[in-house]
Amino acid sequence: MWKLSWVARLVLVIGAGALLLTATVAGIAPRLWRMANAHEEIPVELPDFADLAQRTYVYDVTGREIASFEVQNSQPVSLADVPDHVVDAFLAVEDNEFWVHHGVNVRSLFRATLSNFATEGPIQGASTITMQVVKNDYMAGFERDGRYKVLQATYAVRLEKSKSKEEILERYLNTVFFGQNSYGIGAAAETYFGKPVQELTFIESAFLAGLVQAPSSYDPINNPEQSRVRFLQVLERLEDDELITPEERDEVEESFVLPERVRRRPEAATERTYFTEALRDYLLNRSDILGETYEERYTMLHRGGLSIHTTLDPNLQAQAERAALELPANEAGIEAALTSIETDSGAIRAMVGGTGFVPGQNEVNLALAPSQTGSSIKLFILASALQAGALPEDVIDGTHPCTLPNPGNPSEPTFTTAGGVNGGVDTLRRHTVRSINCAFLRTSQIVGLNRVVDTVYRMSSSSYLYEGQPAAEREPIQPFASFATGANEMSTLDMAAGIQSIANEGVHLEPYFVEYIDDAAGERVYTHFDPGVEVLDREVALTAIDILKGVLTSGTASSALSGFAARRPAFGKTGTQDSNYTAFFVGATKELSTAVLVRDPDRYTEMRNIPEFSAVGVSRVQGGTFPARIWGAYMENIGLDQFELGDWDRPGPPARGPARLYLPGNECVYEIVGYEPVAPPPTEVPVEVPPAVEGFRRPQAPPPTDPPAPPPATTTTLPAPPPVTTTTLPSEPTPSTEPTTTTTLPPRPIYGQVESGTTIPPDVLDPNAPLPSVPLDRVVSPCGSPPVTP
């Protein structure tokens, strides 16, 4: 009876359950059908896997890694390079029936669900590895509604039919997210253990596999307690599957240390520097090497897995950084910057942007910061004048103070400067060596300010400075009357590029960062090539070099560099802004063209009486002090092991004799248009001489008194005709009367202005258009002030 009753009850329960299941299915079937058709999209043929994001590596000229670029840390590895025990650990934790299912494993799904209900937290995910690959590669952006899992399962089955198990597993290991911006097992091995995937242990691999389910929640760096709980669950799973023994589990629990910080492999550890940050900006914003649009360039740089081989020479970089220490550390915040370019290629070999790049604190690259140049800009005026036909021995008025036209400013039609040294009327060579302001202010207008500006753009052309550059990107070079004293701003890169055009005998090569680039497959996708542009005649460049050598041997840089110049062929130019806010030295050898700048990177600070500088004998920082010292210290250590040191050819003999250069409208040429009589001097009163008496000495006439000397002339004048002297004897000489002498002066010349042309029109940019000049024997004087012969 009891037995029948039990059977009856069992049948009743089963029947009731069947009825309940039938009712439930009937009730939810329409809703399931609507959910399954909630989307309009239908499963489509799966495309091939997209290219994986890969880290881009940057190397110096020796092949040493100096930087890497990535948005997400992704370091793809081949499945063949992943040790078997790493694969076993991931399959044990994530999908232990991977090799036998066909994309979807219903039994594993059911088992994972029961296991997760039976424990405090999920031990195994419900999705297969194939389903996770589908989610990562094909379902980004899909709504997580009822149809999501259906589509995911459908795509997983299709993927298993089009890809091998090995291909799917490799894709999974290279794309799964581990937290801390690490995608794939290669990146995770580095981030958490600082080693390549080939060196991971079984336990380390199992730890990483445990992160996949919830990378942020189980992040050992930010959430160590939750990460430890998850790791213990993973160990329990490994013990259940008999992959470790209970004893091994206990030992691991006691000895395993969770990762505490993000790591890099020792051989790949790099720091951001002024050079690498400038390289990144160059590739993204100043070059189309990596693509036509910013988006293309960004993707290639941060996801393309490129190998970028740069121009940076680590030996020269180290020398430059040591040389910058010639500037004493100081509380005023004054720093030194340097850019060094290889003369015959344009390759940027060294760059010092300040005391050191510190992310978020000291990121200003002073080497690329435009700064007032002081007189160092005169090297461009010199080159412009020589290209237009000037010769080193041509004569120019460098008298100061000087008042010159101020083109482009109608409210102030003239410009006056009294600064600098009074150069008088002297040769272009001596004015350059002495850095005479008035001479070069005048020369810049004799050449034509617009033509000088054009020369600057041609000699310094780069992606950082070029004609037509948007003002929002950089203020254009202006034809200011004060151009010669450094009113415009240039960077050390601009100045080094400009002097390179002279040092390379007139051929300009744009400064560049990258020698060549290989893609992720090792194929060469870019090689630098620049045939150069002739911006100066070779003879002009050689003449400029010959003149500028004097700056080091006997000019404004001689105190710091005369010894160097005695040993090594070199030339250069100093520059100091009026209030000592900035100081430059720009110089070159046949091998390197280098510019040095000293200033406060944050503001214009007057560099006078700074205690740390005064202590070493520099009360005022000028181009011939610290900048020249730094340049010399950098160049001094460059030896024959790096370059074959050489000198330039001497310039050929001049094609003509010296001439007088002048500025039409400010200086005028005069000629004699007539004469005016000159009154004779007063007649001398004869002196009576008594007869000679024995013992009596005749009085001597007083010595003649010369008229006062005229003030020194600042113009070239014609010599006056010699005076005519006649002697008149008395008609009846007597013993008491001496002969009288009468001086008759020739007529005084009257000068009239000669039509002598106009200044170079602003629209004339032809670098060879001739300069206004006259022979040295012509008279030149300020317009409206004709010369007067006393």
Side-chain angles (χ1 to χ4, degrees):
M1 181 70 183
W2 177 86
K3 187 174 182 180
L4 290 175
S5 176
W6 178 85
V7 170
R9 286 198 299 272
L10 177 61
V11 170
L12 181 62
V13 169
I14 293 174
L19 290 173
L20 178 62
L21 178 61
T22 301
T24 302
V25 170
I28 67 173
R31 179 169 297 182
L32 288 175
W33 177 258
R34 287 194 299 272
M35 289 170 59
N37 291 276
H39 297 279
E40 293 183 1
E41 65 262 28
I42 60 174
V44 295
E45 292 298 323
L46 298 179
D48 201 358
F49 291 141
D51 292 337
L52 291 172
Q54 299 186 50
R55 175 185 291 173
T56 288
Y57 293 96
V58 181
Y59 305 93
D60 63 22
V61 295
T62 67
R64 180 178 65 93
E65 182 184 333
I66 59 173
S68 61
F69 298 114
E70 60 191 2
V71 174
Q72 59 187 44
N73 184 358
S74 177
Q75 303 173 45
V77 294
S78 169
L79 184 62
D81 294 329
V82 180
D84 289 341
H85 65 263
V86 175
V87 173
D88 293 341
F90 271 83
L91 295 183
V93 176
E94 284 292 287
D95 189 356
N96 63 0
E97 295 189 13
F98 172 75
W99 296 111
V100 298
H101 66 62
H102 299 289
V104 179
N105 190 337
V106 177
R107 184 173 62 181
S108 287
L109 178 63
F110 181 70
R111 184 184 63 195
T113 302
L114 292 179
S115 176
N116 293 341
F117 272 119
T119 59
E120 294 180 0
I123 295 178
Q124 184 175 5
S127 296
T128 64
I129 282 177
T130 309
M131 293 174 71
Q132 292 185 59
V133 170
V134 164
K135 179 185 69 174
N136 292 335
D137 274 81
Y138 302 117
M139 301 188 69
F142 278 41
E143 292 185 20
R144 296 297 185 95
D145 55 14
R147 194 167 182 246
Y148 184 89
K149 278 292 181 181
V150 176
L151 286 175
Q152 187 180 17
T154 302
Y155 288 159
V157 172
R158 293 190 178 194
L159 184 62
E160 292 262 356
K161 294 180 180 180
S162 61
K163 297 288 185 182
S164 69
K165 286 285 188 179
E166 289 77 10
E167 290 175 312
I168 294 171
L169 181 58
E170 180 178 290
R171 186 70 176 186
Y172 168 78
L173 290 173
N174 282 321
T175 57
V176 67
F177 182 53
F178 290 91
Q180 291 293 336
N181 198 39
S182 300
Y183 292 79
I185 184 64
E190 178 187 66
T191 296
Y192 294 109
F193 297 107
K195 60 176 65 175
V197 66
Q198 293 84 355
E199 297 179 11
L200 286 175
T201 67
F202 177 71
I203 295 300
E204 289 171 341
S205 304
F207 171 82
L208 294 177
L211 300 180
V212 172
Q213 195 173 83
S216 298
S217 298
Y218 300 145
D219 182 344
I221 297 171
N222 296 320
N223 298 306
E225 292 184 2
Q226 290 178 264
S227 184
R228 169 66 67 174
V229 171
R230 174 58 178 164
F231 181 56
L232 296 178
Q233 293 172 353
V234 169
L235 293 179
E236 181 182 351
R237 172 70 178 172
L238 297 180
E239 182 184 354
D240 291 343
D241 287 354
E242 299 182 350
L243 295 174
I244 59 173
T245 65
E247 293 76 16
E248 289 173 329
R249 173 183 171 179
D250 292 339
E251 181 182 352
V252 170
E253 287 183 2
E254 292 181 4
S255 62
F256 186 80
V257 178
L258 294 179
E260 297 177 343
R261 60 182 177 83
V262 174
R263 301 185 183 185
R264 289 290 303 273
R265 299 195 310 272
E267 70 275 13
T270 60
E271 295 182 355
R272 294 166 64 187
T273 67
Y274 293 114
F275 181 89
T276 58
E277 290 299 298
L279 169 68
R280 181 179 182 275
D281 173 69
Y282 171 77
L283 291 172
L284 289 178
N285 302 308
R286 303 179 184 276
S287 165
D288 60 359
I289 292 174
L290 301 183
E292 293 296 327
T293 67
Y294 179 87
E295 289 73 18
E296 292 173 340
R297 298 190 291 269
Y298 188 90
T299 299
M300 284 296 295
L301 183 62
H302 294 94
R303 297 176 59 89
L306 305 175
S307 295
I308 301 175
H309 294 262
T310 72
T311 59
L312 185 71
D313 185 317
N315 295 322
L316 294 180
Q317 180 66 28
Q319 289 173 205
E321 291 172 1
R322 285 194 297 269
L325 298 178
E326 289 286 321
L327 181 74
N330 59 92
E331 294 186 1
I334 309 301
E335 299 184 15
L338 176 152
T339 298
S340 188
I341 296 173
E342 192 169 68
T343 297
D344 62 2
S345 70
I348 301 172
R349 296 303 186 197
M351 178 176 286
V352 176
T355 55
F357 186 92
V358 180
Q361 297 181 30
N362 190 21
E363 296 189 358
V364 175
N365 189 342
L366 194 55
L368 298 177
S371 304
Q372 290 189 347
T373 63
S375 292
S376 60
I377 199 72
K378 290 173 183 172
L379 69 89
F380 295 98
I381 301 173
L382 174 66
S384 303
L386 295 174
Q387 184 65 45
L391 295 179
E393 306 311 317
D394 285 346
V395 173
I396 304 164
D397 186 3
T399 305
H400 90 137
C402 53
T403 299
L404 300 169
N406 193 16
N409 190 351
S411 62
E412 296 182 17
T414 60
F415 167 79
T416 300
T417 183
V421 178
N422 185 1
V425 178
D426 209 339
T427 64
L428 179 60
R429 181 188 297 275
R430 283 186 52 79
H431 284 319
T432 302
V433 170
R434 299 175 65 201
S435 196
I436 302 301
N437 285 343
C438 280
F440 272 87
L441 288 165
R442 191 179 304 278
T443 302
S444 65
Q445 296 203 37
I446 291 173
V447 174
L449 287 167
N450 289 68
R451 188 156 56 153
V452 173
V453 169
D454 180 68
T455 300
V456 172
Y457 277 119
R458 291 186 297 109
M459 288 178 59
S460 291
S461 176
S462 74
S463 57
Y464 294 86
L465 179 68
Y466 55 91
E467 187 77 53
Q469 194 168 6
E473 181 180 323
R474 179 168 176 177
E475 285 295 322
I477 305 298
Q478 297 287 358
F480 294 131
S482 56
F483 184 97
T485 55
N488 287 288
E489 294 186 334
M490 303 275 279
S491 70
T492 62
L493 180 67
D494 303 330
M495 298 301 288
I499 204 167
Q500 177 274 334
S501 298
I502 299 176
N504 198 37
E505 302 182 358
V507 177
H508 175 66
L509 296 156
E510 289 203 6
Y512 68 99
F513 290 91
V514 179
E515 293 286 6
Y516 63 91
I517 299 175
D518 294 338
D519 65 13
E523 296 292 327
R524 187 64 46 84
V525 294
Y526 171 78
T527 301
H528 176 78
F529 174 73
D530 181 4
V533 177
E534 185 178 278
V535 294
L536 299 171
D537 293 345
R538 181 173 184 269
E539 191 67 18
V540 167
L542 294 177
T543 303
I545 291 168
D546 183 61
I547 295 173
L548 290 167
K549 282 182 176 181
V551 174
L552 279 66
T553 58
S554 60
T556 53
S558 59
S559 62
L561 296 173
S562 59
F564 177 88
R567 298 185 299 273
R568 295 272 302 278
F571 69 95
K573 187 70 189 73
T574 58
T576 309
Q577 197 270 348
D578 280 345
S579 299
N580 296 89
Y581 293 146
T582 64
F584 268 94
F585 182 78
V586 187
T589 63
K590 237 177 133 54
E591 300 77 36
L592 292 171
S593 300
T594 305
V596 177
L597 166 67
V598 172
R599 61 162 288 189
D600 183 339
D602 298 323
R603 63 190 67 83
Y604 279 129
T605 298
E606 188 172 357
M607 297 186 294
R608 298 188 186 189
N609 301 318
I610 294 175
E612 297 88 348
F613 299 166
S614 298
V616 294
V618 179
S619 59
R620 292 191 306 155
V621 178
Q622 296 176 301
T625 59
F626 291 126
R629 294 181 190 180
I630 292 169
W631 188 93
Y634 169 65
M635 296 298 300
E636 189 70 57
N637 295 319
I638 297 173
L640 293 172
D641 57 330
Q642 292 172 279
F643 295 99
E644 186 175 336
L645 307 181
D647 196 357
W648 297 268
D649 294 337
R650 293 276 300 171
R656 59 169 175 80
R660 175 67 156 87
L661 305 182
Y662 69 99
L663 178 59
N666 180 260
E667 298 175 287
C668 290
V669 180
Y670 292 87
E671 66 179 6
I672 298 175
V673 296
Y675 294 89
E676 60 182 357
V678 178
T683 304
E684 296 184 3
V685 178
V687 178
E688 294 188 2
V689 181
V693 177
E694 185 177 351
F696 176 79
R697 296 185 61 185
R698 177 177 296 179
Q700 302 295 314
T705 301
D706 294 331
T714 61
T715 60
T716 304
T717 60
L718 294 174
V724 179
T725 303
T726 61
T727 301
T728 305
L729 296 176
S731 57
E732 295 182 1
T734 64
S736 63
T737 306
E738 290 283 349
T740 59
T741 300
T742 303
T743 300
T744 303
L745 296 178
R748 180 182 294 116
I750 301 173
Y751 291 93
Q753 185 174 323
V754 177
E755 178 60 39
S756 52
T758 60
T759 56
I760 301 295
D763 59 343
V764 174
L765 301 181
D766 178 7
N768 299 306
L771 304 175
S773 65
V774 293
L776 284 181
D777 60 358
R778 301 297 296 274
V779 179
V780 177
S781 187
C783 293
S785 300
V788 176
T789 302

